[in-house]
Amino acid sequence: MPAKKQDKDKVLLVCPHCGYQQPEPRTAFSTICKSCGQHLRVQEILKPAPKRAATGPKKKLVTCFECGAELDVSVTAESTICKRCSAYVDLHDYNITSAVAKNFKTKGAFTVELKGWVFNTESIVGDAVIRGKFHGKLAAERSLTLYSTAELKGSLTAGHLVIPAKNHFRWPTQIRVGSAEIAGELAADLRAEGTVTIRAEARLFGNVDARNLVVEEGAVIVGKMQIGPRTAAQQTKLL
């Protein structure tokens, strides 16, 4: 009977180094392999820690310029090919510090610095930051940040418009955006498909047509507000 109890209290341990099998007490902490002489941690062999899932490079989601297909790409990638239509998709970031006459079409960031000047251009970019001059057509798919030093001529649209605190911007015609966050001063009419947020220090001079409006205490607004979802007839009229 004692022999049977001893067998029951033991387990067959497999050496991870040579594969040799030998009986060891279940509660043993460590032992030596009788074949290769390697030191073995019994509990680590009996209850191995779960393997961590391999973590690949960080990804981001972009859409193809041509067909609109969603593409999962590495955050460090500089370009990719659409899996649906095989179109080339530029992912580069561009930082403009001098005069450039060129069209840009990228899902990356597009920054025009104080001494930068982009002219005679039709550009579609991911995120745009304008501190210098931009003369042409600009479409920022995600965000467009405008500083007081920005000089724009032409047309602009943005997924999300940002006027940073202590900065001002004036535009003669209605600006169409997905949403907007005004922390500085904006003198322009706004039409937003989503929410327009007016921060406490902000001043807005213009009419707002938006689905939602958030106004923090202390903000100044001078203009007409049309807030709420549009009917199909209103939507058609505005197009």
Side-chain angles (χ1 to χ4, degrees), residues 2-219:
K4 289 184 179 180
K5 183 177 181 181
Q6 186 178 18
D7 291 340
K8 185 178 179 181
D9 290 340
K10 288 191 175 184
V11 66
L12 199 61
L13 195 69
V14 180
C15 174
H17 303 285
C18 67
Y20 180 76
Q21 298 181 8
Q22 63 189 52
E24 294 290 344
R26 292 180 181 275
T27 57
F29 180 75
S30 64
T31 188
I32 300 295
C33 177
K34 295 177 181 178
S35 176
C36 65
Q38 291 287 335
H39 178 263
L40 306 179
R41 295 182 180 273
V42 177
Q43 297 305 314
E44 289 183 6
I45 297 175
L46 295 179
K47 300 175 182 178
K51 292 183 178 180
R52 293 182 179 179
T55 55
K58 292 184 178 180
K59 300 281 188 176
K60 63 180 178 180
L61 197 66
V62 300
T63 56
C64 174
F65 285 114
E66 304 302 325
C67 70
E70 292 186 341
L71 308 172
D72 200 21
V73 300
S74 168
V75 294
T76 58
E78 295 185 342
S79 65
T80 189
I81 299 296
C82 178
K83 296 178 181 179
R84 180 188 293 174
C85 69
S86 301
Y88 172 80
V89 181
D90 188 3
L91 303 173
H92 282 90
D93 293 336
Y94 293 90
N95 195 62
I96 311 302
T97 57
S98 59
V100 178
K102 177 183 176 181
N103 293 335
F104 293 87
K105 195 173 184 180
T106 180
K107 296 291 181 176
F110 177 78
T111 304
V112 181
E113 297 292 359
L114 192 59
K115 295 184 178 180
W117 182 15
V118 182
F119 58 98
N120 295 338
T121 181
E122 291 187 17
S123 296
I124 304 174
V125 301
D127 296 290
V129 176
I130 310 297
R131 295 187 178 91
K133 298 179 181 179
F134 185 97
H135 296 178
K137 296 177 67 174
L138 175 62
E141 293 186 336
R142 291 188 296 274
S143 67
L144 169 61
T145 303
L146 299 173
Y147 287 84
S148 300
T149 53
E151 180 187 305
L152 278 78
K153 294 181 179 179
S155 66
L156 61 91
T157 59
H160 182 68
L161 175 66
V162 178
I163 308 296
K166 299 181 180 180
N167 285 269
H168 62 269
F169 182 74
R170 180 183 296 273
W171 194 249
T173 59
Q174 186 186 67
I175 303 175
R176 296 191 175 193
V177 296
S179 58
E181 181 178 349
I182 313 302
E185 180 179 309
L186 176 65
D189 293 338
L190 269 180
R191 179 193 170 192
E193 298 300 324
T195 301
V196 172
T197 301
I198 313 298
R199 296 300 181 191
E201 317 84 13
R203 288 152 54 99
L204 174 62
F205 301 95
N207 302 324
V208 175
D209 179 0
R211 180 176 291 271
N212 301 297
L213 177 66
V214 177
V215 181
E216 294 184 353
E217 185 177 355

